[in-house]
Amino acid sequence: MSEERKRIEVVAAIICKEDMIFATQRGYGEWKDWWEFPGGKMEEGESAEDALCREIREELAVEISVRRFFMTVEYDYPKFHLVMHCFLCEVKSGILQLLEHEAAKWLKKEELESVKWLPADIEVIKRIEEDF
């Protein structure tokens, strides 16, 4: 009998500028120092796009425009099952500030593998390398 794994649904922003993509480094928790696309959990009744704009405002103090859906990743972490909806975005207004992350970088496509991505985000990196 398999145990029911907790399911967490999140949104993630692939923030693009010219030929670069914005990556953030976690500053807390069991995945501290790993890199990820910024974003977070959707709230009850919130659309994915609205959740993403809110999360980016809370984490990075900027307004983004969500250009289009990119992909959904499902990944089994040891303690939960993650469903991550990823969107291509760009900064509409404001200056990126790290309110929750330890560090951040703008990476060119060929530099994406220079940081240690969270396991679920690696699927997104593979697709970016193929599609961009």
Side-chain angles (χ1 to χ4, degrees):
M1 184 173 143
S2 69
E3 70 180 63
E4 186 60 32
R5 187 176 285 253
K6 183 177 176 186
R7 182 180 190 269
I8 298 178
E9 194 167 4
V10 300
V11 288
I14 304 166
I15 302 173
C16 306
K17 178 177 73 174
E18 295 149 15
D19 64 343
M20 294 185 295
I21 292 170
F22 192 68
T24 53
Q25 187 178 32
R26 282 196 164 214
Y28 59 90
E30 110 181 68
W31 297 96
K32 181 180 171 4
D33 297 332
W34 291 60
W35 290 77
E36 65 185 346
F37 294 103
K41 293 180 187 156
M42 294 188 292
E43 293 177 356
E44 190 71 36
E46 197 174 37
S47 74
E49 290 88 344
D50 288 346
L52 195 52
C53 291
R54 176 186 50 76
E55 283 287 345
I56 297 306
R57 204 176 305 119
E58 290 171 3
E59 292 182 14
L60 300 169
V62 295
E63 294 298 322
I64 56 167
S65 53
V66 179
R67 287 199 311 224
R68 69 177 173 87
F69 171 76
F70 186 66
M71 72 184 293
T72 294
V73 172
E74 295 210 24
Y75 188 86
D76 282 319
Y77 281 95
K79 296 177 179 153
F80 60 92
H81 177 76
L82 181 76
V83 179
M84 181 171 68
H85 307 291
C86 304
F87 294 83
L88 294 175
C89 306
E90 55 194 14
V91 174
K92 192 164 55 176
S93 64
I95 295 170
L96 290 160
Q97 299 172 52
L98 299 181
L99 303 177
E100 294 185 12
H101 294 91
E102 189 168 70
K105 290 182 183 182
W106 285 102
L107 298 169
K108 292 186 180 210
K109 179 178 159 181
E110 57 274 11
E111 298 171 325
L112 288 171
E113 293 188 28
S114 68
V115 299
K116 186 177 179 182
W117 290 94
L118 284 168
D121 294 64
I122 290 170
E123 295 303 311
V124 183
I125 296 302
K126 287 178 188 169
R127 171 98 183 267
I128 289 170
E129 290 174 339
E130 290 168 9
D131 288 9
F132 275 55

